[in-house]
Each structure stands twice: as C-alpha cells, then as structure tokens.
C-alpha cells in the first residue's frame, strides 16, 4: 500500500468547486508530480492534504484569493510561517476567515490513517513530523523578524525535543545538508539577508528537520532562476534518493516533471485527466490536454523555430464535469459523446479521462 | 464542429460560469456589490442617511421653534432643575426653557454643515498640495523634486503639531464664530489629505500602466490627470468619510471650548454640549443628548468609511 | 477621403509615424541595423541618509552594452533575474535615463532627443510589458486604452481611431465586441493581447517585449508567441525580446545576447549560440534548463553553478562571472576579458576558447 493515498478529494469554496474528485497515490521513496495550469487546483489539493484549508461550512467563496497566502495568514501566529511546523495552522472553524471556509470531502490516507478525518490537534502533531510542505514563495513563508536559526530550532524543539546547543548544532548541520555555506554564521541571519535560492534552501531545511516521510513541494522553484532551480531540484532529488522520503511535486513545468518525477498526474479544472509513469506519459500522451500542453512549449531539443501548436481558448472556457468533459470547449477532437455525460477515468497504469482517446490511439 | 455542438458547448460554458459567482461589471460596481453585503456598511449608511435627512428637513419636522423660550417660566422658577422628557417635550427642556428635541433636530444641520465644510476645506486644499507635490516630484525634473520637498516638509511640520492646537491657533486668529470652527477643523485636516494623496499618487506613478502611458507619448499633464489621479482618489475619498467623523467631534470640541457660534440662540450640538456643562450635576440629560448624537453620527461615518475601504481593497478584487 | 477608403488602406496616411518610404527589404546583412545601441550604461545611485542624502555607490544595472538589431529581425536578450535586462530595454526606449552610451533608431539619435521631440518620437518605438494587468489602466476600457495613443499624437478623427482600434484588435485575435470592456474582465492571455494591440496602435518600427509571456499559462504562452510571430510579418516589426526563459528566446529570436551582471557575455545567431555555446555562463544556463523528455533528462549533462548572482553594486574584479565559473583561472580575477569575435558573427567575453 502506498504511503499516501488520496481518494476522491473534493474541495469547494462556496458555490465554486476548486477540486472535483482527485485521486492519486504517492509511494515511499518516489516522486509524484501534479501538473496543470494556474487555477486547476494543485495548491488547494496539497493544502487539503496538509489540513491547511480554513475549514467549516463555506461562507461566500472569494475567488482569486490565494490559498497559500491564506495559509500563511492562518499560521502567522507562529514564528515559522510555513505550514511545516506551525501548530496554530488550523483554526478549525475559527480564526480570521475572511475568505470563507472550504468544504473538504474524500479521503487522504497516510500510512493507514485518514488525514481528513483527524481532529485538528492530531493533525498538528503530524504536520512537520510526518509530512511537511515547501511553498513557492520562500520570502513570505519565513518570519521576517526571527533569525533563521531560531526558526529551525523551534521545529526541532517542538517535534524532536531538542534544546539549546544540541538544537543549534542540528540546525547548523541541516543548513549544511541543504548546501548553505558557513551555516553557523547563517543561523543568526534574518530572511531578508539571504537570496531567494538560499531562502528556499532554509525552507527545505525546516521541512526536512524532522525527517518527514512525505514532503509536499508546491512550485518550489517557480520563483527562482534556472541556475538556482537546478540547484534546488538536485537537492530535492538527493533527499528522496538518500532518505527515502516520498515527494509530491507540484509544478506547471513539464521539463521539471520529466526530470524529477516517477509518476505524473495531469490536472485540469480540478480533476486528474491523465496519470501515468513519467516515461509512458511523455512517450504516449493520450489526453488531448496533455498533448496540447506538450505542443505548447518551446523546446531546446527540437529544430529551431519549430512551430508551436497551442491549445485554443483559455481556462475560463470550461464546462462542469457533470455536464461533460471540462476540456471540451478547447478540444480539437470534441465529439457528441464528450458532452453526453461525465467522462470516467479509464485504465490503471496509464489512466486517462477522455472518451475519444481509444479511437485516436 | 457542427453548429448544434457549438451551441451546446456555449450553453454548458454559460451554466458553469453562472454556477460560479458572476464577475462582471466595472470595479466600482463590484465594490458596490460587496458594500451592500457588508453589515458594517449598511449600518453606517442607515445612520448617515438618517442624519442627513434630519439635517435637511430639520426646521420642518421640529415640533417647536428651537429658539423659542416657550417654557421659560417653568425653568426659571426652580433654578437648575429642568423638566425631563414628557409628552409635549420628548427630550425635556433646556436651561432657557427651550424644547430640547427641536433643538437637537435643528442642530443636526449645523453639525452636518460644519463637518462637511471642514472636510471639504481639508480635502480640497490637501488634495491640491499633495497632488501638486506628487506631480512635480514625478514629472517635474530637478525643480519639481525641490518643489515637492518643500511642500512635503511643510506638511510634515504641520502634521507634527497636535490637531487641536492647530485648530485653536486658527480660531484664535479669527475670533469665535461658526466659520472659525469650520476653517480651523478643515485646516487641521489638510496635512493628512496631502500626505495621503501624494502617497497614493506616487504608488500609481510607479505602476506599469503609467510607464506604458509614458512610452506611448502621452503628455505628462494628461498622465497625471487621466491616469494617476483617478486611480489615486479612492483611498482619499474613503479618508474623507472618516475625517467627517473626526471633524464633527472636533467641531463639537471647539464649540465646547467656546470658539463656536457666540450667538446663544443658535442650535448646534457642540454648543449645546458646552452650555450643558454648567448643569451637569442637576440635569445630565442636557449633555447626554448632544453627546450621544455626536458619537452615533461619527460612528456612522466611520463604519461607512471603513466598509468602503474594505470594499475597495485591491486584494479583495477578483483576479480572474 | 471617406472613412471607408481610409479603413481599407492598411497603411493609413493619417498615421504620421508610418514610414511607407522604408524599403520592404528582407533583413539583408548589408542593411544597416534599425536599432543600434552603443556602450549603453545605466547606473542607479545608492542613496543613504535621512535628512541629507548622500550617494554611497552605484548599482551598475547596465554597464556598457552594445548591440544591433536588424530591420525586421528579432533580438533576444536572456539572463537571470537582476542582470539588467529590463533596465536595458527601458533605457533603449528612454523610459529610464541612460548614464552613458548611444541609442540610434533608424536615422535618429534617440539618446539626444528631448522634451516634445522625444514624446513625438515615442510613436516609433513601443513596449509590451510582463504584467499584462498591471500595464493596463484599470479605469480605462479597451476603446480608451487603444485610442489614447492615437489621440495624443493627433491621429485621425474619433471614428477613424475607433476603426483603427477594431482593425488592430482583429489583428491580435480579439473581437470588436470587447471595446466597451475593462481590463479586469479579460483572461491573462487576452490582456496580453490587449497590451500588444496597444503597442501596435501607432504602427511602430520597434517593439521591446519585456518578458512578454512569463506571466502567462503554458498553453497561453504558445498562443502569444505565435501571435508575435504573425504580427512581425504583418506589420514589418522589429523586436527586442527580453526574457529569462531560454527556450522562449530561442523560439522567437534570430539573434541572441546573453547578459550577466549588466554586461553581454555572449552574442550570436540563435543557431550557433544554442548549438555551440562558447561562454561558460551560457553553457551552464543551457544545461540547467529541464527538457520535457524523460529520456533526455536521464542523460542530460548538468553544469550546476555554485552560489548566487553577486551584487551589481559591487561586481567582481576581472571577469564578472569568475565567482561562479567552473573554469575560472587566476587571470580571470585580474583582467577583464575583452569582447571578441570568436567565430564569424559569434562574440564572446571570456579569456578562453572552450
Ligand atoms: N480561499 C479560496 N476561496 C475561494 N476560491 C479559492 C480559494 N482558494 C483557491 N480558490 C480557487 O480554487 C481554484 C484552484 O486554486 P489553486 O490555488 O489550487 O490553483 P493552482 O493549480 O495551485 O494554481 P497556480 O498554478 O496559480 O498556483 C482556483 O479557481 C481558485 O480561484
Ligand atoms: N530604479 C532603480 N533604482 C535602483 N536600482 C534599480 C532600479 N531598477 C533596477 N535596479 C537594480 O538594477 C538591477 C537590474 O534590474 P532589472 O530589473 O533590469 O533586472 P532584470 O534583468 O530585468 O531582472 P528580472 O528578470 O528580475 O526582471 C537590479 O539589481 C535592480 O535591483
Ligand atoms: S473527452 Fe472529448 S472533449 Fe474531452 S478531451 Fe476527450 S475528446 Fe476532448
Ligand atoms: S573569463 Fe574566466 S571566469 Fe570568466 S567566463 Fe571565462 S573562464 Fe570563466
Ligand atoms: Mg498554486
Ligand atoms: Mg525584468
């Protein structure tokens, strides 16, 4: 059985459904990718698994509210703003809930327990220890007025009971492990004194401080330069190879997916539309959306000025899954069958959600 | 694709959009929609609305003439004991035997007038100073920067003087009268408006759409007037609502200190409060009516202003 | 002339910026470049002090960049965040005052223009911004957005301006029904189309595109890149494309310059720079780009650079790249490598031939 099994996860903010029945599994020591364009529900999925969405009956959902920001806001009480260690993270039905709550249903089974049905206190204990998260924006995820050393030792203290010198030593060795030169000096520095790449390393150090078995990385390199991105990806890969951590990698970059992941789930409008082992997916993309994404990116390994074949329209042109295929308004292969009802996810190793796929393949 | 299919798709897209929140209309309309849903805004608007109606219709709805000492006999007979609320005088009588209810109603107009005029003075003068400073600093080159520096340093100095002191100095210069109060309170608000508009304009001046306008060759004056200014006024207008609340309180304070309208006959809440202090132990209700009225009105404006600020907050806008 | 005739004519004589006299030659190598930048510098003073401001140093955002862009060509400028790409693009358009150097567009010296002449001249060079929403005034509807540039340059009557707006909208793939709508009512890709349409309104010669697609979704990026391609042919445009994404630059450009800490380190035709990068930095950049192909990813040789970008206020001595260069030698710290032609049309600033 896989370490994390997400089954039929649904998240709604008021009337709008952000995640509409997502299922996937992450095995020990594997990297699983969630790919998709902005707004398809990647971050909401990961926040739901981490128990970081404001819960409760949703009030008026506010679109465009960034869930990550909301999460950071929720945990602002702790010195480590990242969700990794903050015990204050989930105000179950309380806290500042300006954006309205999220209705979460489905299951996220981690090592035999359903995280979604855990009481907030129990979830808090697991967060940081068993599963940890790294966000896209390393600056807003760190507390600006606390030295990074303190932000790391706080986690060590809470979850591993390390104190004083011991904690400091461990913090320095963590920084060393994520490739920060001169770690002892760095411990005393504040986030603004570090570069973006360094900050992301610090966040990763905090996330792996308690040797979590699952790490969720939400666009960990999107804000970074390619040369820095290469460093961070290398580091994450190393962690998986040497510690056996499972990694859920959220990204919109198919290049990153190709280089990092073992399994890939392509999301569109809150659902998995294709899922396959990475080589299989790139060798035989089946869903028209995946095919379209691959045709949209300029590549360095193809002849110069190879024309791009974009997907037409935008993600605003979408229909509800219960009416038919959400991708139909943008799909070139659309047929009557596509809007005749809910398309099912077919196949097991290489699954896709397209009624026309067989005909084309 | 067949026509039928396209139509069906359109219909389904439509359904999906209406399932989500409708997101159309100008930014202003969206803000208004949010405003209408906010209990804070509604409460504020009801209070302010009521106040304005009373202020306008005051003389017609007041049951008696606010200056008529109709019940003087009753009052002068037993010194410092004034009849409280009763059937013919809902709020009782004041120390000169005048109907308090009528005075309160008619006084609303004076109070509103003071608040609005004072705020207008602060708004207009402050906006001109702040606007000129920001425009000069952004587009005026070296000289402009100097103009901006001089203007803003002056404003900073003015801002450092306590508001009441500033108002008192103005009042001392002009002698006690209603216009003194208005000017004094207005002048005291100038620095706030100037700073606010300048800050807001500078933020807009560094935005990409202003850079785009420059790159299109839009003349500087036009950039300021048609791009920067309209996008900077939002927070200033919100501030004006909030200032109205303070202006009413301050005007009351100045009247209370005896700088208001010296005519004892005039009905104005601040003056009424000042008059009532002599009888505080015997007839506290004379002070309570105007005090509560001032507080509630100020609260109304504050609620409305805060709600407006929230509804205009760009972070709450749809980012679709 | 009736407005009907006018509309049919693509090259409206009412548009003063239209230089129909310009020969419609393909970008032949003998042609003098449309845009020529010589030793452009932009230094930002670093000020300290509360009451009396002192200048304590300079951020050398752009520190001596020279390049030429051929008529009808596309020059791609790549580099990491903070290397000065945006500042360069803005300085070329005189949106940022250059500290030194020259910019020539056609026969005109852009750097010596002043006041009203500069304002008038702006119609010949335009910019497309990275943030499509931020670059559109939220209170102006599409009609106002598109007709303002014409109005301020005194082009056409109200109807003619509207007609031209509709034509341009059509060129960027938007229906004329959007004229009354406001920027926030569009999707990201459509907003970028609006930004491009606005830049096209004055039918400029040169368009500087600063990260034209980096704020857009993958599937939308491709639409916008294809659009830029089409428009180039249709309107005879010359592009300076600024981006951090090497694949995007490669796709759009025929000549590419790589920038590091305010200077060019390598410049060549797209083909040769991507096939045979000569500068260590270019090699590292190219090797860092993940490919959407698991087979190639498994065998891709990566040059992982150490450390971060040094501060442009205090660049390293000698070769600016030496603090991160895997090939650095002693000489690199002492002597600044010269900007030399390593092969025909392939310039590089490195002491060694790698
Ligand atoms: N707090 C919230 N209230 C209402 N809607 C929300 C909230 N958070 C997210 N959403 C909506 O849920 C959908 C999915 O958002 P999500 O952040 O998961 O997208 P994403 O795939 O992570 O996109 P991106 O690549 O931009 O990060 C979006 O349509 C978003 O508007
Ligand atoms: N107005 C300014 N004042 C001071 N420094 C500035 C200013 N504008 C830019 N800089 C500095 O100049 C350098 C170059 O900035 P620039 O924006 O040109 O970089 P860039 O290559 O476009 O980066 P990015 O990819 O992040 O957009 C940076 O170090 C930046 O901090
Ligand atoms: S189900 Fe139909 S519309 Fe959806 S992706 Fe497949 S072919 Fe396209
Ligand atoms: S000059 Fe030296 S440091 Fe600079 S790129 Fe060449 S080898 Fe590297
Ligand atoms: Mg996200
Ligand atoms: Mg830039």
């Amino acid at each position: 059985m896989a370490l994390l099994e997400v089954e039929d996860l649904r998240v709604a903010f008021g009337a709008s459904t952000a995640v509409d029945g997502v299922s996937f599994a992450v095995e020990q020591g594997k990297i699983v990718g969630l790919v998709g364009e902005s707004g398809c529900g990647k971050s909401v999925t990961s926040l739901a698994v981490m128990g970081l969405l404001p819960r409760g009956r949703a009030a008026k959902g506010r679109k465009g509210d960034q869930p990550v920001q909301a999460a950071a806001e929720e945990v602002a009480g702790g010195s480590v703003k990242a969700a990794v260690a903050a015990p204050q993270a989930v105000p179950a039905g309380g806290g500042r809930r300006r954006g309205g709550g999220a209705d979460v249903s489905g299951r996220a089974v981690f090592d035999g327990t359903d995280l979604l049905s855990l009481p907030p206190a129990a979830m808090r204990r697991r967060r940081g220890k068993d599963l940890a998260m790294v966000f896209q924006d390393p600056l807003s995820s760190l507390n600006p007025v606390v030295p990074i050393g303190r932000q790391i030792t706080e986690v060590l203290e809470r979850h591993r009971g390390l104190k004083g010198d011991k904690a400091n030593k461990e913090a320095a060795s963590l920084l060393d492990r994520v490739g920060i030169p001169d770690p002892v000096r760095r411990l005393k520095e504040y986030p603004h004194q570090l570069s973006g790449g360094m900050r992301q390393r610090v966040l990763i150090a905090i996330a792996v401080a308690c040797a979590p078995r699952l790490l969720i990385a939400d666009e960990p390199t999107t804000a970074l330069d390619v040369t820095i991105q290469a460093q961070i990806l290398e580091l994450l890969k190393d962690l998986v190879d040497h510690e056996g951590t499972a990694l859920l990698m959220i990204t919109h970059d198919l290049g990153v997916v190709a280089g990092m992941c073992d399994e890939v789930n392509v999301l569109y409008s809150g659902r998995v539309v294709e899922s396959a082992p990475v080589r299989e997916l790139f060798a035989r993309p089946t869903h028209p959306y995946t095919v379209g994404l691959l045709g949209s990116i300029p590549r360095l390994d193809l002849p110069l000025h190879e024309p791009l074949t974009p997907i037409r329209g935008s993600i605003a042109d979408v229909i509800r899954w219960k009416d038919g295929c959400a991708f139909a308004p943008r799909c070139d292969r659309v047929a009557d069958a596509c809007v005749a009802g809910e398309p099912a996810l077919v196949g097991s190793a290489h699954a896709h959600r397209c009624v026309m796929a067989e005909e084309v393949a | 694709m067949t026509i039928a299919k396209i139509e069906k798709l359109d219909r389904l897209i439509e359904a999906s959009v209406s399932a989500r929140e409708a997101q159309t209309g100008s930014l202003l309309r969206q803000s208004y929609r949010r405003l209408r849903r906010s209990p804070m805004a509604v409460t504020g608007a009801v209070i302010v609305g009521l106040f304005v109606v009373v202020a306008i219709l005051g003389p017609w709805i007041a049951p008696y003439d606010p200056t008529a000492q109709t019940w003087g006999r009753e009052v002068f007979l037993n010194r410092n004991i004034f009849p409280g609320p009763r059937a013919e005088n809902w709020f009782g009588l004041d120390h000169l035997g005048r109907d308090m209810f009528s005075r309160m109603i008619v006084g609303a107009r004076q109070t509103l007038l003071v608040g609005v005029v004072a705020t207008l003075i602060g708004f207009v003068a402050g906006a001109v100073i702040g606007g000129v400073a920001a425009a000069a600093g952004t587009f005026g080159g070296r000289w402009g920067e100097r103009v901006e520096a001089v203007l803003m340093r002056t404003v900073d100095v003015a801002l450092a003087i306590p508001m009441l002191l500033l108002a008192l100095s103005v009042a001392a210069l002009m002698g006690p009268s209603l216009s003194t109060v208005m000017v004094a309170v207005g002048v005291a608000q100038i620095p706030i408006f100037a700073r606010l508009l300048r800050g807001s304009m500078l933020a807009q001046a560094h935005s990409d759409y202003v850079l785009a306008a420059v790159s299109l060759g839009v003349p500087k004056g036009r950039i300021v007037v048609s791009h920067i200014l309209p996008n900077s006024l939002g927070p200033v207008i919100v501030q004006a609502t909030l200032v109205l609340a303070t202006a009413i309180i301050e005007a009351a304070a100045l009247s209370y200190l005896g700088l208001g309208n010296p005519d004892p006959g005039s009905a104005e809440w601040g003056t009424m409060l000042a008059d009532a202090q002599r009888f505080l132990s015997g007839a506290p209700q004379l002070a309570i009516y105007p005090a509560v009225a001032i507080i509630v009105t100020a609260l109304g404006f504050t609620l409305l202003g805060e709600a407006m600020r929230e509804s205009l907050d760009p972070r709450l806008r749809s980012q679709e | 002339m009736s407005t009907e005739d006018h509309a049919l004519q693509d090259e409206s004589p009412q548009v003063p910026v239209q230089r129909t006299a310009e020969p419609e030659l393909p970008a032949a190598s003998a042609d003098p470049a449309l845009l020529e930048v010589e030793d452009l510098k932009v230094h930002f003073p670093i000020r300290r002090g509360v009451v009396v401001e002192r200048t304590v140093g300079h951020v050398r955002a752009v520190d001596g960049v020279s390049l030429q862009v051929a008529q009808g060509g596309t020059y791609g400028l790549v580099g990491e965040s903070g290397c000065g790409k945006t500042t360069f693009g803005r300085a070329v358009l005189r949106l940022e005052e250059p500290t030194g150097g020259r910019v020539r567009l056609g026969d005109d010296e852009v750097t010596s223009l002043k006041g009203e002449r500069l304002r008038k001249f702006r119609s010949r060079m335009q910019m497309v911004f990275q943030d499509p929403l931020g670059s559109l005034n939220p209170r102006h509807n599409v009609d106002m957005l598109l007709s303002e540039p014409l109005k301020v340059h005194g082009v056409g009557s109200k109807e003619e301006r509207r007609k031209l707006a509709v034509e341009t909208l059509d060129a960027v793939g938007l229906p004329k029904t959007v004229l009354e709508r406001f920027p926030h009512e569009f999707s990201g890709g459509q907003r970028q189309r609006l930004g491009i349409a606005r830049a096209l309104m004055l039918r400029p010669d040169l368009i500087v595109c600063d990260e034209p697609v980096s704020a857009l979704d993958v599937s939308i990026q491709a639409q916008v890149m294809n659009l830029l391609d089409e428009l180039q042919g249709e309107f005879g445009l010359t592009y300076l494309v600024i981006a951090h994404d090497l694949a995007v630059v490669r796709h759009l450009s025929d000549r590419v310059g790589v920038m590091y800490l305010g200077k060019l380190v390598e410049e060549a035709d797209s083909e040769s720079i991507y096939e045979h990068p000569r500068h260590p930095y270019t090699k590292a950049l190219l090797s860092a780009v993940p490919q959407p192909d698991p087979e190639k990813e498994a065998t891709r040789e990566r040059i992982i650079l150490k450390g971060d970008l040094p501060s442009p206020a205090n660049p390293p001595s000698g070769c600016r790249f030496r603090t991160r260069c895997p090939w650095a030698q002693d000489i690199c710290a002492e002597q600044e490598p010269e900007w030399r032609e390593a092969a025909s049309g392939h310039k590089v600033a490195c002491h060694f031939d790698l």
Side-chain angles (χ1 to χ4, degrees):
Chain A
M1 177 159 168
L3 180 65
L4 172 72
E5 278 188 19
V6 173
E7 281 165 39
D8 200 28
L9 179 70
R10 276 164 211 280
V11 182
F13 296 96
S16 76
T17 310
V19 175
D20 194 8
V22 162
S23 307
F24 61 90
V26 188
E27 298 208 31
Q28 192 76 49
K30 290 276 197 268
I31 306 181
V32 172
L34 285 187
V35 225
E37 290 175 286
S38 184
C40 68
K42 306 183 294 291
S43 298
V44 170
T45 302
S46 62
L47 291 173
V49 171
M50 291 291 292
L52 285 173
L53 287 172
R55 289 194 198 167
R57 266 239 60 87
K60 289 262 163 42
R62 203 171 66 220
K63 285 188 59 95
D65 187 19
Q66 286 307 302
V68 175
Q69 256 172 27
E73 230 175 74
E74 297 296 352
V75 298
S79 88
V80 179
K81 276 174 119 203
V84 270
Q88 307 88 329
V90 175
R96 276 173 297 160
R97 217 172 344 103
R98 299 176 63 195
D103 290 318
V104 183
S105 69
R107 279 151 56 85
V109 183
F110 179 84
D111 196 19
T113 31
D114 180 11
L115 298 177
L116 298 185
S117 63
L118 276 185
M123 189 66 215
R124 242 176 263 151
R125 252 173 277 127
R126 290 187 159 243
R127 201 162 37 225
K129 197 152 132 255
D130 287 339
L131 52 162
M133 188 153 175
V134 178
F135 288 114
Q136 168 176 347
D137 180 3
L139 187 56
S140 67
S141 306
L142 288 166
N143 188 328
V145 295
V146 176
I148 56 167
R150 181 76 202 105
Q151 304 197 36
I152 302 175
T153 52
E154 192 177 324
V155 185
L156 293 171
E157 205 175 307
R158 182 171 305 124
H159 291 294
R160 285 169 57 183
L162 292 180
K163 289 222 169 80
D165 258 5
K166 258 194 180 151
N168 278 331
K169 243 195 208 117
E170 178 65 20
S173 88
L174 276 169
L175 285 189
D176 190 44
R177 208 169 97 210
V178 296
I180 292 186
D182 200 0
V184 180
R185 183 172 59 89
R186 292 286 182 189
L187 285 179
K188 296 193 198 73
E189 297 196 334
Y190 291 86
H192 71 92
Q193 291 170 292
L194 307 178
S195 68
M198 292 271 208
R199 285 185 209 125
Q200 196 56 290
R201 283 169 196 268
V202 170
L203 268 193
I204 293 174
I206 293 173
V208 301
C210 302
R213 292 159 69 195
L214 173 69
L215 187 62
I216 301 181
D218 188 354
E219 314 244 12
T221 58
T222 305
L224 305 174
D225 277 320
V226 264
T227 57
I228 311 297
Q229 160 169 297
Q231 297 169 354
I232 299 291
L233 293 181
E234 196 81 357
L235 170 65
L236 286 172
K237 228 173 173 172
D238 238 41
L239 281 173
V240 174
D241 287 348
H242 292 115
E243 321 280 328
T245 316
L247 175 61
L248 178 60
M249 182 83 186
I250 295 174
T251 177
H252 64 266
D253 187 334
L254 286 169
V256 170
V257 170
M260 293 282 289
C261 300
D262 300 300
E263 297 273 335
V264 191
N265 298 284
V266 183
L267 259 65
Y268 190 79
S269 190
R271 282 201 185 183
V272 175
V273 294
E274 183 159 11
S275 99
V278 69
R279 280 169 194 261
E280 170 70 16
L281 185 91
F282 283 89
R284 275 172 292 281
T286 311
H287 195 278
Y289 177 59
T290 318
V291 176
L293 274 187
L294 283 168
S296 294
I297 36 178
R299 301 169 62 146
L300 291 178
D301 54 351
L302 290 181
L304 207 60
H305 303 312
E306 187 87 352
L308 302 174
T309 46
I311 307 171
R312 66 185 141 89
S314 78
I315 47 167
D317 310 319
V318 62
I319 64 184
R320 287 172 297 187
W321 280 109
K322 69 174 162 62
D323 294 333
C325 175
F327 187 58
R330 304 176 69 189
C331 184
D332 285 332
R333 292 188 209 157
V334 62
D336 287 333
C338 304
V339 284
E342 222 167 317
L345 194 66
V346 290
S348 55
H350 185 166
H352 59 78
R353 194 187 289 279
C354 174
V355 291
M356 305 298 288
E358 305 309 325
E359 284 170 35
V360 181
Chain B
M1 251 194 303
T2 62
I3 303 288
K5 206 155 50 180
I6 294 173
E7 273 173 5
K8 176 158 190 198
L9 278 178
D10 280 348
R11 220 178 51 243
L12 290 173
I13 294 174
E14 209 67 356
S16 125
V17 171
S18 61
R20 290 176 271 153
E21 222 178 328
Q23 289 283 326
T24 49
S26 72
L27 289 177
L28 222 59
R29 205 166 326 145
Q30 283 181 33
S31 300
Y32 176 65
R33 202 176 299 151
R34 268 197 299 276
L35 211 55
R36 250 187 1 203
R37 280 206 300 258
S38 141
M40 207 158 84
V42 174
T43 318
V46 167
I47 295 175
V48 169
L50 214 65
F51 174 60
V52 171
V53 168
V54 169
I56 292 172
L57 302 180
W60 291 284
I61 53 178
Y64 306 103
D65 177 357
T67 53
Q69 298 173 297
T70 318
W71 295 274
R73 204 180 262 269
E74 259 175 86
V75 172
F76 295 130
L77 275 181
N78 36 84
R79 295 188 65 84
N80 288 1
I81 302 173
F82 311 114
R86 56 186 188 188
E88 66 260 51
N89 311 105
W90 290 358
F91 284 4
L93 302 177
D94 77 351
H95 61 290
L96 294 177
R98 297 173 295 196
D99 179 41
M100 270 304 272
F101 185 63
S102 304
R103 287 182 66 75
M104 287 298 297
I105 286 179
V106 175
R109 176 181 282 190
Q110 297 278 351
T111 307
L112 180 69
L113 194 71
V114 173
V116 168
V117 173
T119 306
L120 268 180
I121 291 173
F123 183 93
V124 172
V128 168
I129 295 176
V132 168
T138 321
F139 290 119
R142 204 164 265 280
W143 269 104
E145 270 170 36
R146 268 177 224 165
V147 170
E148 183 189 21
V150 168
L151 281 177
M152 291 327 285
R153 284 305 89 76
T154 318
V155 163
D156 284 345
V157 170
L159 205 58
I161 304 173
M163 180 119 61
L164 207 57
L165 196 65
L166 199 65
L168 275 174
S169 329
V170 175
L173 279 177
M174 293 177 52
S177 78
L178 195 64
S179 37
T180 301
V181 173
M182 296 195 284
V183 173
V185 174
V187 166
Q189 310 291 354
I190 292 175
I192 297 175
F193 281 113
R195 282 214 75 102
L196 200 69
L197 184 66
R198 171 175 166 270
S200 174
M201 280 178 71
L202 285 189
Q204 299 297 327
H206 287 115
S207 64
D208 270 0
Y209 71 84
V210 169
L211 194 67
V214 174
S215 82
L216 288 166
V218 180
K220 289 168 186 171
R222 191 184 162 102
I223 292 180
V224 171
V225 172
S226 101
H227 291 267
I228 299 182
L229 210 53
N231 283 297
S232 314
L233 281 177
V236 186
I237 289 171
V238 170
Q239 180 69 20
T241 325
L242 296 173
V243 161
L244 246 167
T246 11
I248 287 172
I249 291 179
E250 267 162 28
L254 290 187
S255 302
Y256 182 82
L257 292 175
L259 298 167
N261 194 345
D263 171 13
S266 84
E268 194 268 326
W269 293 351
T271 323
M272 287 164 71
L273 195 60
D275 289 343
Q277 67 174 318
R278 281 185 285 152
F279 316 104
L280 214 51
S281 53
Q285 77 273 12
L286 294 188
I288 290 174
Y289 297 134
V292 167
I294 289 168
I295 291 170
V296 170
T297 315
L299 186 73
F301 280 109
T302 308
L303 285 177
L304 194 62
E306 287 293 340
M308 265 161 66
R309 192 209 298 283
E310 211 160 271
S311 82
L312 286 170
D313 188 333
R315 278 177 306 153
L316 306 184
R317 280 182 191 161
S318 80
Q319 289 163 13
E320 276 299 282
Chain C
M1 183 177 72
S2 83
T3 34
E4 292 299 312
D5 294 338
H6 172 65
L8 290 175
Q9 247 178 309
D10 202 353
E11 313 210 331
S12 141
Q14 236 96 349
V15 186
V17 296
Q18 195 74 39
R19 270 154 314 286
T20 29
E22 208 101 64
E24 288 274 301
L25 288 178
S29 50
D31 236 22
L34 174 79
L35 175 73
E36 187 175 354
V37 181
E38 226 174 84
D39 199 29
L40 194 69
K41 288 185 181 144
V42 184
H43 295 179
F44 295 109
I46 308 171
R47 296 219 173 94
R48 288 279 153 72
V50 192
V51 187
V52 189
E53 284 193 339
R54 294 174 298 127
T55 302
V56 295
H58 284 93
V59 175
R60 304 172 173 205
V62 179
D63 205 12
V65 172
S66 306
L67 54 82
Q68 283 113 40
V69 188
Q71 165 76 44
T74 303
Y75 190 104
L77 197 59
V78 268
E80 285 178 290
S81 169
C83 72
K85 308 180 295 292
T86 297
T87 310
F88 176 80
R90 291 184 181 177
V92 166
L93 298 182
R94 289 288 299 277
L95 295 172
E96 199 77 77
E97 259 334 279
T99 314
R102 283 178 354 110
V103 177
R104 178 181 65 74
L105 182 70
D107 297 327
D108 298 273
E109 183 91 17
V110 182
T111 25
S112 65
L113 292 173
K114 276 205 194 76
E116 189 62 11
R117 283 191 53 215
L118 173 63
R119 188 182 79 74
K120 282 266 186 314
F121 190 80
R122 291 196 180 281
S123 60
R124 290 182 53 189
M125 42 186 205
Q126 280 304 309
M127 181 151 179
V128 171
F129 293 82
Q130 168 171 11
D131 174 11
L133 185 57
S135 64
L136 304 171
N137 187 337
R139 280 169 209 281
H140 284 191
N141 65 18
V142 174
D143 192 16
M144 287 150 95
L145 282 170
L146 296 185
S147 50
E148 177 165 45
L150 300 178
K151 210 188 270 172
V152 300
H153 287 280
V155 179
S157 66
K158 195 161 185 219
E159 289 73 48
E160 285 163 341
R161 291 200 286 261
R162 206 177 167 99
K163 208 145 224 166
L164 208 55
V166 172
E167 276 171 36
T168 314
L169 277 178
D170 185 52
V172 299
L174 289 172
K176 69 171 174 211
T177 50
V178 303
L179 276 175
E180 301 302 324
R181 283 164 62 187
F182 288 86
H184 72 276
E185 297 176 272
F186 292 88
S187 73
Q190 289 172 322
R191 284 176 198 148
Q192 196 58 300
R193 284 171 197 270
L194 283 179
I196 294 172
R198 180 179 59 184
L200 280 176
M201 285 307 288
L202 291 164
R203 304 290 185 261
D205 302 326
L206 173 77
I207 296 189
V208 174
C209 307
D210 187 2
E211 305 272 6
V213 298
S214 64
L216 306 176
D217 263 328
V218 181
S219 69
I220 311 300
Q221 284 193 356
Q223 296 175 357
V224 172
M225 280 194 272
N226 282 359
L227 175 67
L228 286 173
D229 247 356
E230 282 166 30
L231 294 174
Q232 182 158 39
E234 194 176 335
F235 293 93
L237 298 168
T238 304
Y239 289 136
L240 172 62
V241 175
I242 294 168
H244 69 276
D245 187 325
L246 286 121
V248 166
V249 166
R250 176 175 182 261
H251 184 81
L252 288 172
S253 326
D254 36 49
R255 197 160 173 83
V256 175
V258 181
M259 217 171 155
Y260 187 79
L261 273 189
K263 282 197 168 220
L264 281 182
V265 295
E266 184 164 6
E267 183 194 82
D269 291 337
S270 312
E271 204 143 64
S272 39
I273 211 164
Y274 284 93
E275 290 304 315
H276 310 287
R278 286 167 181 269
H279 195 280
Y281 179 58
T282 317
K283 284 179 199 278
L285 268 186
L286 281 172
S287 85
V289 180
Q291 306 290 310
D293 183 342
E295 314 286 340
K296 286 181 187 152
E297 275 297 279
T299 58
R300 176 162 64 94
E301 202 188 316
R302 286 156 225 224
I303 305 170
I304 303 272
L305 290 180
K306 310 166 281 184
D308 296 304
L309 207 68
S311 154
N314 190 13
S317 65
C319 173
R320 297 183 172 209
F321 185 53
R322 73 177 161 84
T323 51
R324 299 172 78 195
C325 179
W327 286 274
Q329 307 289 324
D330 288 343
I331 183 181
C332 304
E334 289 150 17
Q335 221 175 311
E336 183 160 357
E338 63 172 319
W339 182 235
R340 66 194 168 86
E341 188 143 359
S344 156
H346 196 138
K347 292 182 183 165
V348 60
C350 174
H351 289 302
F352 306 101
D353 253 325
L354 294 162

